[in-house]
Amino acid sequence: MQSMARTKSKTLSLVVPCFNEADVLPEFLARVRNVAQGLRGWQCEFLFVDDGSQDATPDLLTQEAAKDPRVRVIRLSRNFGHQRAISAGTDFCTGDAIIITDADLQDPPELIPDILRKLEGHDIVHMVRSDRRVDGLLKRTMAHVFYRVMRRWVLPELPENAGDFKGFNRRVLVVLRAHRERVRFMRGAFATMGFRQTELRYVRAARHAGRSKYPLRSTLRLARDAVFSNSALPMRPGIYAGAFTLAASCLTAAGVSLYAATGGAVASPLLIALLLALLGACGMILMLLGFAGEYLKILLLEVKQRPLYIIRETCNVDVAARAASESSPEELLRT
Ligand code: UDP
Ligand code: MG
């Protein structure tokens, strides 16, 4: 009995957020099934989160789930965005090891055995992109600036060039599930969690088919959420500029008073300079008001406590079992 328990295979959950990915899913499934076949001692679940797709993604996933019980599907009621779709997946997966991966095969499934090996001595494996040529110059430059700013001023622990392609164990999953913030940057949650973290470098492949579901606007929005939800950095220039403006205006007032008192005529260039300084200060104040509004918006979203995502239907997902394994401090201590 005891030896049976010891040899019992563990479960690997692949969490796959999908938004209009019908073109890539057949190839994705073929490749992950192939990899799963070679995994000794692991049984797999492929947990797809359909993030409000409008193409054939939901039908395709439902058909696959009917044929293969390892294919599990959570269909969200609308598009909630990549970060929340990941959370729906991590909330409902049942694995001892969990790997988050994109559906478009940019994260090669053939790396799964390497990730599992690394997880034997670590809690989190960040997959670091050693070659991002497929991403294009603009995206690469933006990523470079983003990671520099983030690591220097916001989250020094954030691994550079690691996206959401990660492997982790159940202990991490329990802590991750406790992160319920509405404005989400999942990479930040992993980075600040502690435990034993490591990196594995890989070459990011080109998208198998279709177009990126992360247009420039969404990328910028994610960067904004990452900064604003993790620090007060945007407000900091205001403190320095405010102090500088105050000091400069006091000095100017003293200088002008002294000059006028000694009989000097105040020349118009000085007035123009003062006007420009005033305009600059007004611009800065308005900008900071905008930033403060951004923080208020985040507070409002968090205070409202609306659901992170809404599920429309599921296939092969045992919702009751998930409720029973709700994260609790006891579970955390057990892992
Ligand atoms: N995705 C999602 N919801 C969205 C946008 C994207 O679930 O609102 C999924 C998408 O289907 C893919 C992953 O997130 O599996 C990453 O998206 P994509 O590959 O388009 O991003 P990129 O690699 O171009 O940054
Ligand atoms: Mg992609």
Side-chain angles (χ1 to χ4, degrees), residues 16-254:
V16 195
C18 307
F19 180 50
N20 295 335
E21 298 290 12
D23 292 343
V24 298
L25 282 174
E27 178 67 14
F28 178 85
L29 272 162
R31 279 176 59 182
V32 291
R33 279 183 177 130
N34 195 28
V35 171
Q37 213 169 17
L39 291 178
R40 292 262 168 84
W42 289 94
Q43 50 186 20
C44 294
E45 67 170 3
F46 312 129
L47 179 48
F48 294 91
V49 181
D50 169 31
D51 188 18
S53 298
Q54 274 154 10
D55 66 352
T57 298
D59 298 337
L60 203 147
L61 289 174
T62 310
Q63 284 161 19
E64 290 292 339
K67 287 188 284 187
D68 181 351
R70 292 174 304 173
V71 175
R72 312 200 168 164
V73 187
I74 294 173
R75 192 172 168 202
L76 301 185
S77 66
R78 64 168 168 84
N79 179 250
F80 280 85
H82 183 212
Q83 301 292 295
R84 291 188 183 210
I86 290 176
S87 302
T90 52
D91 279 351
F92 284 89
C93 66
T94 60
D96 302 289
I98 302 95
I99 295 178
I100 302 172
T101 173
D102 290 354
D104 59 0
L105 293 167
Q106 287 204 271
D107 308 332
E110 291 71 23
L111 294 171
I112 289 172
D114 294 341
I115 302 176
L116 290 177
R117 254 191 304 278
K118 274 256 178 195
L119 274 179
E120 281 165 20
H122 298 91
D123 298 296
I124 303 176
V125 180
H126 301 281
M127 299 303 286
V128 172
R129 302 161 186 185
S130 59
D131 183 340
R132 317 186 40 141
R133 257 172 289 178
V134 290
D135 280 342
L137 186 66
L138 179 66
K139 203 161 183 165
R140 275 200 325 262
T141 315
M142 279 170 45
H144 182 71
V145 174
F146 172 73
Y147 282 107
R148 281 205 85 126
V149 171
M150 287 298 286
R151 282 166 60 87
R152 182 157 185 161
W153 287 299
V154 183
L155 284 174
E157 309 92 338
L158 190 70
E160 198 160 347
N161 281 321
D164 292 301
F165 185 24
K166 291 184 196 308
F168 49 96
N169 60 22
R170 207 160 168 90
R171 176 191 289 162
V172 172
L173 178 72
V174 172
V175 180
L176 192 70
R177 283 178 180 168
H179 287 68
R180 304 314 294 174
E181 60 253 45
R182 271 66 192 161
V183 180
R184 295 177 90 67
F185 180 60
M186 302 297 287
R187 287 164 232 183
F190 283 105
T192 52
M193 210 180 270
F195 297 128
R196 295 165 302 169
Q197 308 202 8
T198 188
E199 297 179 354
L200 198 61
R201 300 181 81 76
Y202 78 109
V203 177
R204 191 150 160 86
R207 186 175 243 284
H208 174 69
R211 287 171 51 177
S212 169
K213 309 301 175 317
Y214 252 101
L216 187 64
R217 211 169 33 146
S218 307
T219 311
L220 289 173
R221 213 179 287 151
L222 182 67
R224 178 201 62 195
D225 287 352
V227 172
F228 279 85
S229 65
N230 285 293
S231 83
L233 176 73
M235 302 301 285
R236 221 176 286 158
I239 299 171
Y240 301 131
F244 176 79
T245 317
L246 192 66
S249 61
C250 288
L251 281 176
T252 314

Side-chain angles (χ1 to χ4, degrees), residues 253-329:
V256 170
S257 311
L258 201 67
Y259 185 63
T262 53
V266 179
S268 62
L270 189 64
L271 279 179
I272 291 171
L274 279 174
L275 202 65
L276 285 176
L278 203 66
L279 276 177
C282 280
M284 175 64 96
I285 291 167
L286 285 175
M287 194 175 75
L288 289 174
L289 263 181
F291 288 160
E294 204 51 51
Y295 285 106
L296 273 180
K297 184 198 79 187
I298 291 179
L299 281 179
L300 183 69
L301 283 173
E302 303 300 347
V303 166
K304 279 203 285 192
Q305 290 278 302
R306 285 198 178 163
L308 264 183
Y309 49 80
I310 299 166
I311 295 175
R312 176 170 170 173
E313 60 190 17
T314 63
C315 304
N316 295 342
V317 174
D318 190 346
V319 180
R322 160 69 188 100
S325 79
E326 191 71 48
S327 32
S328 66

Side-chain angles (χ1 to χ4, degrees), residues 6-21:
R6 225 180 286 141
T7 51
K8 191 175 163 273
S9 65
K10 293 189 280 182
T11 303
L12 165 68
S13 299
L14 278 192
V15 170
V16 195
C18 307
F19 180 50
N20 295 335
E21 298 290 12

